[in-house]
């Protein structure tokens, strides 16, 4: 076995891995809390959190203990059997989503898989049309890509599964498109991959009224916004809305792959035995990790911390008064910094050079999504390093 070194790891990556991603920025070797280190010993403040995945940061003791204990006991058993960790997590998810006793839970491995399950749920209504929003993102598998409102991502893989129509993100467009042959509307409360762009005020509540009137499902994609990141367990709860289904992934298991579909009420009876499945979905290891993550978030009120720290971070960016920054948007610890055209990449690169990890999603947007455990030290370090990056760009 060979070991990557500072002189060869980029070449090895290019030689051995598929070219479906951009070249990696650094070779990271360890992490602790909100910080990571590369192979040369440089320390970085991680304000991307594995793209909103590392809810408890890196190497959190609760996750380390849960995963270590579970893998030494029972890691995988297939869905011919149940495990205590799986049963506990399903019960917890029904409670924190508000699905209640009638709710049901399906476990997969990723956000894309959760949205594939949601796609099938909608198809099971027997209605032919599914509505989604333009500039949305729901994943890159074929069904999830069909739901994604980005034609450039879809073009190389046409034809995609049919029956999906993309509409503008306005109540008027939804009213015009909605009829009794619509199976479902799927929405992200905040369009993360579009630049952290929230839905218009009142849109989600209006979508709930309109879908109910026509007997269509309201499916909320909380893969990037859920699990405390926006200041509540789920962003739809901040709007006082109850969906028919919610998809969850990213932050739920602290970096261990897990995706979830939770259904509410009558929607829980749509998928039948044999309709869907996953070999690894809901295995003891992943569900034990998720139980540990959710327990810490609840005990330490990390959703409340996300709300408070998010306000502090947005205020810190605004105080910098950089001419490169056009707006600051988002909710909790999912923050989008709008920049003048073409500046975002230079700012993100300057930030990395200054020991700060953020993400340039597009030419005019920077995404910030630190762990929910972020505290005073990290907020102060972010403000200093981000300010330096803006000044250097």
């Amino acid at each position: 076995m060979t070991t990557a070194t500072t002189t060869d790891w980029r070449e090895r990556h290019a030689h051995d891995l598929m070219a479906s991603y951009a070249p990696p920025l650094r070779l990271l070797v360890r992490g602790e809390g909100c910080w990571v280190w590369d192979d040369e010993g440089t320390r970085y403040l991680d304000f991307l959190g594995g793209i909103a995945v590392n809810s408890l940061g890196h190497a959190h003791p609760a996750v380390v203990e849960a995963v270590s204990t579970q893998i030494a006991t029972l890691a995988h058993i297939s869905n011919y059997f149940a495990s205590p960790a799986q049963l506990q997590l399903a019960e917890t998810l029904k409670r924190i989503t508000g699905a209640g006793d009638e709710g049901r839970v399906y476990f997969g491995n990723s956000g894309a898989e959760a949205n594939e399950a949601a796609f099938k749920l909608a198809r099971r209504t027997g209605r032919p049309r599914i509505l989604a929003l333009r500039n949305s993102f729901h994943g890159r598998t074929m069904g999830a890509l069909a739901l994604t409102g980005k034609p450039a991502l879809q073009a190389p893989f046409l034809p995609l599964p049919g029956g999906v129509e993309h509409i503008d993100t306005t109540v008027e467009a939804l009213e015009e498109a909605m009829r009794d042959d619509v199976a479902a509307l799927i929405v992200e409360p905040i369009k993360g991959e579009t630049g952290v762009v929230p839905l218009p005020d009142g849109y989600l509540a209006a979508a709930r009224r309109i879908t109910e009137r026509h007997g269509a499902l309201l499916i909320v994609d909380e893969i990037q916004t859920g699990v405390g990141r926006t200041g509540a367990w789920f962003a739809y709860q901040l709007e006082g809305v109850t969906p028919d289904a919610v998809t969850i992934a990213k932050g739920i298991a602290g970096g261990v792959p897990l995706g979830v579909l939770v259904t509410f009420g009558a929607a829980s009876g749509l998928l039948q035995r044999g309709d869907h499945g996953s070999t690894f979905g809901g295995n003891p290891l992943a569900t034990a990790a998720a139980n540990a993550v959710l327990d810490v978030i609840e005990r330490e009120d990390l959703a409340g911390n996300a709300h408070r720290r998010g306000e502090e971070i947005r205020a810190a960016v605004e105080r910098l008064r950089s001419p490169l920054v056009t707006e600051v948007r988002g909710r909790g610890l999912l923050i989008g910094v709008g920049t003048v055209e073409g500046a975002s990449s230079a700012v993100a690169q300057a930030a990395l050079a200054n020991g700060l990890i953020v993400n340039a999603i597009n030419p005019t947007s920077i995404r910030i999504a630190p762990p929910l455990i972020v505290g005073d030290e990290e907020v102060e370090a972010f403000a200093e390093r981000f300010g330096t990056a803006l000044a250097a760009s």
Side-chain angles (χ1 to χ4, degrees):
M1 179 181 294
T2 58
T3 302
T5 68
T6 55
T7 59
D8 72 358
W9 69 264
R10 287 185 174 87
E11 181 179 343
R12 292 175 61 201
H13 186 281
H15 184 266
D16 294 333
L17 276 76
M18 287 280 185
S20 54
Y21 297 107
L25 300 170
R26 297 289 189 275
L27 180 65
L28 300 182
V29 296
R30 72 180 183 94
E32 182 178 345
C34 295
W35 301 85
V36 293
W37 285 258
D38 69 14
D39 59 318
E40 297 181 341
T42 304
R43 187 173 79 147
Y44 301 85
L45 179 61
D46 183 4
F47 259 47
L48 185 58
I51 313 181
V53 167
N54 299 319
S55 300
L56 304 186
H58 300 274
H60 192 283
V63 177
V64 172
E65 180 181 1
V67 170
S68 300
T69 300
Q70 190 62 57
I71 203 164
T73 307
L74 196 65
H76 178 75
I77 54 176
S78 90
N79 285 299
Y80 287 117
F81 304 93
S83 72
Q86 179 193 66
L87 298 176
Q88 178 186 337
L89 181 57
E91 291 171 356
T92 299
L93 286 167
K94 288 171 62 174
R95 174 175 60 83
I96 66 175
T97 60
D101 188 58
E102 293 184 345
R104 293 294 182 269
V105 176
Y106 170 81
F107 291 119
N109 304 289
S110 66
E113 287 190 18
N115 283 332
E116 289 283 340
F119 198 142
K120 281 190 171 180
L121 183 81
R123 284 284 179 86
R124 258 303 194 174
T125 66
R127 295 182 174 192
R129 300 171 62 218
I130 298 174
L131 302 180
L133 302 181
R134 294 194 174 105
N135 293 315
S136 59
F137 183 85
H138 300 288
R140 295 177 186 269
T141 54
M142 293 296 277
L145 187 58
L147 298 172
T148 293
K150 293 180 180 290
L153 296 183
Q154 296 176 330
F157 306 105
L158 298 174
L160 295 170
V164 181
E165 302 167 30
H166 294 93
I167 61 174
D168 289 339
T169 309
T170 66
V171 174
E172 293 75 18
L174 179 57
E175 288 274 22
E176 183 177 349
M178 181 63 69
R179 296 191 295 274
D180 291 346
D181 61 348
V182 171
L185 166 70
I186 184 167
V187 298
E188 304 163 272
I190 299 174
K191 294 179 182 178
E193 300 302 315
T194 300
V196 189
V197 179
L199 292 175
D201 290 344
Y203 182 91
L204 201 57
R208 176 70 287 182
R209 292 192 300 271
I210 294 165
T211 51
E212 279 187 339
R213 187 189 317 143
H214 290 270
L217 302 178
L218 175 62
I219 302 172
V220 181
D221 178 341
E222 292 260 9
I223 287 159
Q224 196 158 156
T225 54
V227 197
R229 180 150 296 277
T230 57
W233 276 121
F234 299 97
Y236 63 79
Q237 294 168 336
L238 295 168
E239 306 296 330
V241 167
T242 300
D244 297 292
V246 56
T247 54
I248 309 163
K250 287 194 181 289
I252 192 172
V256 178
L258 181 64
V260 187
L261 170 69
V262 180
T263 55
F264 296 60
S268 297
L270 287 171
L271 289 177
Q272 302 296 309
R273 182 178 297 179
D275 279 353
H276 202 41
S278 169
T279 296
F280 294 101
N283 70 42
L285 182 65
T287 51
N291 284 325
V293 170
L294 297 183
D295 178 63
V296 172
I297 291 174
E298 190 158 40
R299 281 191 294 106
E300 299 185 5
D301 186 27
L302 294 185
N305 192 59
H307 171 73
R308 293 186 293 273
R309 299 303 184 178
E311 289 189 335
E312 292 172 5
I313 292 166
R314 287 190 292 273
V317 175
E318 290 167 352
R319 281 196 300 271
L320 294 172
R321 299 186 182 280
S322 169
L324 299 181
V325 174
T326 58
E327 66 173 331
V328 185
R329 51 188 180 259
R331 209 160 191 173
L333 288 175
L334 184 58
I335 299 168
V337 178
T339 71
V340 298
E341 182 68 38
S344 63
S345 179
V347 173
Q349 290 176 35
L352 188 65
N354 197 45
L356 171 66
I357 298 173
V358 293
N359 170 228
I361 314 175
N362 58 44
T364 60
S365 301
I366 292 171
R367 173 170 46 192
I368 297 169
L372 307 186
I373 60 170
V374 64
D376 290 341
E377 176 192 351
E378 291 81 17
V379 172
E380 183 177 337
F382 163 79
E384 185 274 323
R385 295 178 186 212
F386 195 61
T388 299
L390 288 168
S393 302

